[in-house]
Amino acid sequence: MSLDSQDPRAAGSDEPTVELEFELNGSVEKQAVPTSTTVLDLLRNGFGKRGVRSSCERSVCGACTVLVDDLPVAACSTFAFDIDGTRVETVEGLAAHDGTLSAQQRAFRECGGFQCGFCTSGMLMLTTGLLRANPQPDREEIREWISSNTCRCTGYEMILESVERAAELAREREPDEESS
């Protein structure tokens, strides 16, 4: 059975449920879900966050990466009850409310890091987590951070350049944010 076919809000199940309260892309959310629900199921089916990709479903490919309290997490292998009381971020939350792309999104577009696009949302979330932990990562640190996400296009060079450019854009933006 595909994870997508499991609706975490399905009624009539005998499975025990758990009440969750967490922040999703800046909004406080409350949800009752069966205890076996994964974060991937919850975000895709319960909240329509299709940027959280369903792929290997075994924590291997990284396409489902989200940030939980700033740390990258494989949504496919994390139970929903683990995010109770946390702050969860998906790729849908990166752009500003007016549609202005984040530094990471602009850099991936500018440097061709999107390629086929399937791994991109996970790469963007990894980049976001990395730049919060270290705004000036070197190439080796970037390689280490993105190593949990598999790009099937085999074009990692453009992704590495995208992460480096995102760091530059984020640093350029910081003085503007401080003056506003």
Side-chain angles (χ1 to χ4, degrees):
M1 176 174 15
S2 166
L3 289 174
D4 280 337
S5 65
Q6 299 174 1
D7 184 345
R9 299 169 296 173
S13 171
D14 292 335
E15 185 176 340
T17 61
V18 60
E19 297 280 336
L20 304 176
E21 182 173 336
F22 62 101
E23 186 180 307
L24 176 59
N25 296 331
S27 298
V28 174
E29 303 290 348
K30 295 180 181 180
Q31 183 86 42
V33 297
T35 54
S36 65
T37 302
T38 65
V39 172
L40 176 68
D41 294 335
L42 177 65
L43 295 176
R44 285 184 62 87
N45 301 327
F47 292 97
K49 303 302 181 195
R50 299 294 187 194
V52 185
R53 304 276 192 225
S54 176
S55 185
C56 73
E57 301 176 3
R58 293 177 287 155
S59 302
V60 175
C61 75
C64 66
T65 301
V66 298
L67 296 181
V68 176
D69 291 339
D70 291 328
L71 297 175
V73 168
C76 70
S77 61
T78 302
F79 285 112
F81 56 75
D82 286 330
I83 64 167
D84 187 41
T86 66
R87 182 172 37 88
V88 178
E89 297 171 81
T90 69
V91 72
E92 289 88 351
L94 289 183
H97 291 291
D98 67 359
T100 302
L101 298 179
S102 69
Q104 303 88 309
Q105 291 168 313
R106 287 186 321 205
F108 271 70
R109 180 178 67 188
E110 185 180 305
C111 299
F114 285 112
Q115 303 177 106
C116 85
F118 194 79
C119 72
T120 304
S121 55
M123 290 289 187
L124 287 168
M125 298 318 293
L126 286 169
T127 301
T128 301
L130 170 60
L131 297 181
R132 286 180 184 163
N134 180 4
Q136 297 184 357
D138 61 27
R139 177 92 30 144
E140 191 56 38
E141 188 173 8
I142 294 169
R143 281 184 200 280
E144 187 175 324
W145 268 78
I146 67 169
S147 67
S148 63
N149 192 330
T150 303
C151 170
R152 291 178 176 86
C153 299
T154 68
Y156 286 96
E157 186 61 28
M158 291 184 290
I159 294 171
L160 293 168
E161 291 170 4
S162 297
V163 177
E164 290 170 334
R165 179 67 179 140
E168 290 173 10
L169 290 172
R171 287 193 301 270
E172 290 171 10
R173 195 178 68 201
E174 287 175 8
D176 293 334
E177 289 176 351
E178 291 173 6
S179 65
S180 59

